[in-house]
Amino acid sequence: QVQLVESGGGLVQPGGSLRLSCAASGSVFSINTMGWYRQTPGKERELVAAITTGASTNYADSVKGRFTISRDNAKNTVYLQMNSLKPEDTAVYYCYVFYLGTYYWGQGTQVTVSS
């Protein structure tokens, strides 16, 4: 079983920055893909960014150039650095890992971009 604990959400003004963290614990070794989705009321969950063990990354077009995903394999932790935040980035952000054929999800952290 894999447990994910997220941190770093909050309220920020447009143009500001936030850094999300997600640590995986439990009996985990060599997690393949880690990443972040986000969801707003009435919309489907959207992939924001993902990163593989080999550090290959994938980003949603809407965040390219503003968000950066990274990971620390030794700590089984994934990070999402979010710069130049916009009101449309407001959502609940969920981290996930794909491990041994199963997706595991964090509890979600609220990010609100508002003046």
Side-chain angles (χ1 to χ4, degrees):
Q1 191 71 12
V2 177
Q3 296 83 42
L4 302 177
V5 178
E6 302 171 7
S7 61
L11 173 64
V12 64
Q13 292 187 343
S17 298
L18 282 175
R19 189 192 194 209
L20 306 183
S21 300
C22 176
S25 62
S27 300
V28 293
F29 302 94
S30 299
I31 295 175
N32 186 358
T33 302
M34 308 180 77
W36 298 87
Y37 275 75
R38 66 186 180 187
Q39 188 167 27
T40 54
K43 293 186 178 181
E44 292 187 358
R45 198 171 286 193
E46 171 193 28
L47 176 65
V48 178
I51 185 168
T52 67
T53 306
S56 294
T57 58
N58 181 37
Y59 294 94
D61 288 342
S62 59
V63 307
K64 284 180 180 177
R66 301 187 298 119
F67 291 10
T68 302
I69 190 170
S70 60
R71 62 188 286 173
D72 184 332
N73 291 328
K75 296 181 179 179
N76 287 323
T77 299
V78 62
Y79 306 95
L80 186 68
Q81 178 66 44
M82 304 184 293
N83 299 329
S84 302
L85 282 161
K86 304 175 181 179
E88 50 264 43
D89 295 318
T90 296
V92 178
Y93 285 70
Y94 298 89
C95 76
Y96 77 94
V97 302
F98 184 67
Y99 180 64
L100 297 181
T102 301
Y103 284 91
Y104 297 89
W105 296 91
Q107 78 281 5
T109 185
Q110 177 70 45
V111 171
T112 302
V113 184
S114 175
S115 56

